[in-house]
Amino acid sequence: YLPELKIGIEFNGNYWHSDIHKEPKYHQLKTLNYFNIGVRVIHIFEYEWENNKEKLVRLLESLNKRDIDVIGARKTNVSIISNKEALEFQEKYHLQGGINSSINIGCFYKKDLVGVISFSKPRFNSNYEYEITRLCWDYNYRVIGGLEKMFSFFIKEYTPTSILTYVDISKFTGSSYVKI
């Protein structure tokens, strides 16, 4: 537990934290209960650690935010990027890796790609026009207002009527999506 950040980190072994030993919504309810008292819980499952250790270490290191370049969105440019460029970035920075998407928007600081947001037709719910399929940032940067800038670009270019997305609350809060 990191009291100064109000963040708890829990490592969950595959055996004792499986559905055999825990109720199906055990981790979700635990996360939500702590959220309601102002504490963020990050769950790291053994299988994730075995398969994705480097990205998880970078995620945990980014919680500290001391060694991250903080830049304002005004110093960035956003534009459509290729699916190939988005996939490469997502493979490097998104915990779940890359996904083919029909629309990819990049956030650039100087000439460096520092963030990507991707949109497609919804995979699981046809009641919406678009789904945000990926959002990720270079771990070395924090772009204040970057998501808002990329999202505004999407709205202006595509004039969507409805958008949905999903958040893995075992790692993230979804607060960025609430802002937009």
Side-chain angles (χ1 to χ4, degrees):
Y1 180 64
L2 307 168
E4 66 281 2
L5 299 175
K6 293 188 174 184
I7 296 175
I9 301 166
E10 180 175 279
F11 188 86
N12 300 311
N14 290 338
Y15 182 73
W16 291 108
H17 287 266
S18 70
D19 288 347
I20 297 168
H21 297 283
K22 300 289 183 196
E23 293 296 320
K25 293 191 177 203
Y26 170 83
H27 296 97
Q28 180 183 22
L29 293 173
K30 183 176 192 174
T31 300
L32 294 172
N33 285 337
Y34 274 100
F35 177 80
N36 288 333
I37 60 169
V39 175
R40 176 179 172 191
V41 176
I42 296 173
H43 298 272
I44 297 176
F45 295 89
E46 182 180 354
Y47 68 89
E48 294 174 314
W49 188 255
E50 291 170 352
N51 298 319
N52 219 0
K53 184 177 182 178
E54 184 180 327
K55 288 181 186 176
L56 289 166
V57 167
R58 288 191 298 201
L59 170 67
L60 295 174
E61 288 174 344
S62 75
L63 297 174
N64 182 335
K65 295 186 175 137
R66 289 188 186 131
D67 297 329
I68 295 175
D69 287 333
V70 179
I71 54 177
R74 290 184 187 141
K75 295 182 178 181
T76 66
N77 294 305
V78 297
S79 64
I80 301 293
I81 61 173
S82 70
N83 201 52
K84 181 179 185 274
E85 193 172 11
L87 283 168
E88 287 173 2
F89 191 87
Q90 293 164 355
E91 284 297 330
K92 187 172 183 180
Y93 295 110
H94 197 281
L95 287 177
Q96 296 173 336
I99 188 170
N100 284 312
S101 299
S102 55
I103 300 167
N104 300 289
I105 300 168
C107 181
F108 293 86
Y109 176 61
K110 299 181 181 174
K111 293 190 178 197
D112 294 329
L113 180 60
V114 296
V116 169
I117 188 168
S118 298
F119 298 85
S120 287
K121 296 297 177 194
R123 297 169 290 176
F124 311 112
N125 188 335
S126 61
N127 294 326
Y128 294 86
E129 185 179 10
Y130 287 100
E131 176 184 339
I132 299 173
T133 53
R134 289 289 186 269
L135 170 65
C136 56
W137 297 95
D138 181 322
Y139 294 117
N140 298 306
Y141 295 93
R142 181 168 178 229
V143 183
I144 308 288
L147 171 58
E148 291 87 343
K149 188 169 185 173
M150 290 191 296
F151 191 73
S152 293
F153 178 89
F154 173 74
I155 297 295
K156 182 180 173 189
E157 293 294 315
Y158 297 93
T159 58
T161 57
S162 59
I163 305 166
L164 91 143
T165 194
Y166 301 93
V167 175
D168 178 358
I169 65 168
S170 74
K171 310 285 182 295
F172 305 100
T173 64
S175 62
S176 297
Y177 293 125
V178 173
K179 289 179 187 175
I180 59 171

